[in-house]
Amino acid sequence: NIIVTSLDSDNRMAPKYLDSVAYEFIVSEAAVEPEFKTKTLPKATVGKQYYTKIECSDPDATIQEYYNPGKANDLKKTGLVLTQHGELEGTPKTAGSFTFCLSAVGEGGEAYQVYTLVVEEAEISIELIEKPKKMTYKVGEELDLTGLKVKINKADGTTVESLDGDMLEVSEYKLDKAG
C-alpha cells in the first residue's frame, strides 16, 4: 500500500482535518526482450521422424519463420513444420544443409536467430536371402540374377524384398576374362 498525504507549501503535513488516501499498486517486472536459448539444432535423417523444441527465454513468445531478404530461407525445403511454440517437427525428404532465420515475438520485443539444420542421408541395409541360381560363368556370358532374393531395410523401418535383382543397381562387373 502507498499512502498519499497532503503537504502544505513548506512540505509539512497538512492540518489533520485533511484525510489521507490509500492506494494499492501492483508492481510487476518490466517485460524483457526474448532471447533464444536454443543455439544449434540436432541433425535429422531423411525418412525419419524429427522433433526438437526451440527454447526461448520468454515462454509466451510466438516463434515463427522470419523471411530475411538476401539471406537463406530454407525452412520449407526441409519438409518440417514449425509451430508458434517453437516445435520443429516432421519427416525430412531431402538430404542437405538448410539455413533459415526464426523470430521470437513477445511483450518485451523481438529476437532473431539463424539456424542451420543438417539432414543426413538415410541408412539402408541389404540382407541376402537367396543367392542367384547361376553362380559360375564362362567368359563372355551375361550376368543372370534369376533366383537372387534380397531384403532391403529402409531408414523409415520398412522392408522391401527384391526378387531376381529388380530394384537393384549392379555395379560394374567383368565377365570378359576368367578369374
Side-chain angles (χ1 to χ4, degrees), residues 8-178:
D8 65 14
S9 61
D10 295 326
N11 269 344
R12 292 178 295 188
M13 282 183 53
K16 291 187 178 188
Y17 62 85
L18 293 175
D19 290 330
S20 296
V21 179
Y23 295 97
E24 186 171 320
F25 294 92
I26 297 174
V27 179
S28 63
E29 292 184 31
V32 178
E33 187 173 308
E35 180 182 334
F36 282 94
K37 291 180 178 180
T38 303
K39 301 297 182 190
T40 59
L41 299 174
K43 289 181 181 179
T45 303
V46 171
K48 284 192 177 179
Q49 181 66 28
Y50 180 86
Y51 174 87
T52 193
K53 172 90 167 105
I54 297 169
E55 300 289 339
C56 180
S57 61
D58 178 352
D60 297 323
T62 298
I63 297 177
Q64 57 197 12
E65 182 178 12
Y66 175 74
Y67 179 73
N68 196 352
K71 303 287 182 182
N73 295 286
D74 293 341
L75 181 59
K76 287 179 180 53
K77 293 178 186 176
T78 66
L80 303 177
V81 175
L82 176 70
T83 70
Q84 69 180 10
H85 305 293
E87 296 166 315
L88 188 59
E89 57 191 348
T91 304
K93 295 180 180 10
T94 306
S97 183
F98 303 93
T99 301
F100 51 90
C101 185
L102 300 182
S103 67
V105 181
E107 284 188 33
E110 295 181 25
Y112 302 91
Q113 180 71 41
V114 174
Y115 291 100
T116 298
L117 176 66
V118 175
V119 179
E120 296 177 332
E121 288 288 347
E123 293 182 25
I124 62 168
S125 64
I126 299 176
E127 296 175 45
L128 177 64
I129 297 172
E130 288 182 38
K131 292 180 182 179
K133 290 179 182 174
K134 184 167 178 128
M135 295 296 292
T136 306
Y137 291 88
K138 293 184 178 171
V139 174
E141 283 187 287
E142 287 294 316
L143 180 65
D144 181 1
L145 298 177
T146 303
L148 174 65
K149 189 173 184 181
V150 295
K151 183 167 129 182
I152 303 167
N153 301 304
K154 295 183 173 183
D156 63 4
T158 61
T159 59
V160 177
E161 287 194 6
S162 168
L163 182 60
D164 297 334
D166 67 326
M167 299 186 322
L168 299 178
E169 183 178 313
V170 179
S171 61
E172 185 179 325
Y173 61 94
K174 299 210 182 239
L175 295 176
D176 59 349
K177 58 182 163 174

